[in-house]
Amino acid sequence: MLLAVSASASASAPRTSWGRASVSLTQYRADAVQCGRLGANADIAGEPATKAFAAAERFAERNLTMQLSDTELATEQALMVRRLRPEKRLSEVQVVMLNTTEQCLTRLGYRQFTLTRDQNRRLGRLRVGTPERHAFLHALASDPAVLEAQSIRPGIAPAARSDR
């Protein structure tokens, strides 16, 4: 399923995934694709970050039509990047997309859970996108005992959990 880790999270931050007790691998994959597509296609047009990127694009186009020296152009571009803060803005858009994905998963009956250190280590040995990795995550995500013990409950941060 989708493995959610904040882009700014450290390598030691707990990893989370989503599961639903006794879900088949076929359904698990279909749900992941369905919800992932919803997130990828989330309407971000009205988001402040999107508006900031559009304004930066207009700023860049305006500068391209002006007769600026290379130094002036470089200064203007540096100013645009400082004002835009693209990493922060991109993160804001990703949050909207991730929230859309997570809402879909929740509607389909999935719960978020935190991987233990051992599970995290085992997952790290499996290449992203491989059938082995999908099977490993599915085995965790469909196991009622894993979901009961490792589900993230509202108000309890993953880092504060004692089952790792």
Side-chain angles (χ1 to χ4, degrees):
M1 183 66 61
L2 303 170
L3 196 63
V5 179
S6 168
S8 63
S10 70
S12 63
R15 288 189 180 178
T16 62
S17 191
W18 289 79
R20 188 174 83 197
S22 304
V23 67
S24 71
L25 179 58
T26 302
Q27 189 63 53
Y28 176 78
R29 298 291 299 147
D31 292 343
V33 169
Q34 175 189 348
C35 293
R37 283 185 180 151
L38 281 175
N41 293 308
D43 183 5
I44 58 170
E47 294 299 318
T50 304
K51 291 177 182 178
F53 280 118
E57 179 67 22
R58 288 190 301 275
F59 181 79
E61 287 175 6
R62 181 181 50 101
N63 282 345
L64 290 175
T65 62
M66 297 172 65
Q67 298 296 326
L68 298 174
S69 70
D70 288 345
T71 303
E72 289 172 316
L73 187 56
T75 301
E76 288 291 316
Q77 288 174 338
L79 177 61
M80 180 179 63
V81 168
R82 270 198 316 274
R83 285 184 180 161
L84 180 60
R85 298 185 338 239
E87 297 83 10
K88 181 180 184 295
R89 299 296 184 188
L90 184 57
S91 178
E92 291 168 0
V93 170
Q94 288 172 331
V95 165
V96 171
M97 297 168 85
L98 182 61
N99 285 343
T100 301
T101 302
E102 291 178 346
Q103 288 169 4
C104 175
L105 292 168
T106 300
R107 277 193 308 274
L108 294 176
Y110 286 83
R111 298 187 305 186
Q112 192 173 24
F113 67 96
T114 303
L115 276 66
T116 65
R117 284 188 184 131
D118 181 55
Q119 292 163 348
N120 204 17
R121 269 193 297 275
R122 290 177 59 198
L123 182 66
R125 292 187 207 116
L126 302 170
R127 275 189 350 168
V128 174
T130 61
E132 294 80 14
R133 185 180 175 103
H134 294 168
F136 176 71
L137 283 171
H138 171 258
L140 296 175
S142 62
D143 184 337
V146 168
L147 294 175
E148 180 59 33
Q150 296 171 223
S151 283
I152 297 172
R153 290 169 179 79
I156 300 176
R161 295 179 53 85
S162 62
D163 59 359
R164 279 185 298 279

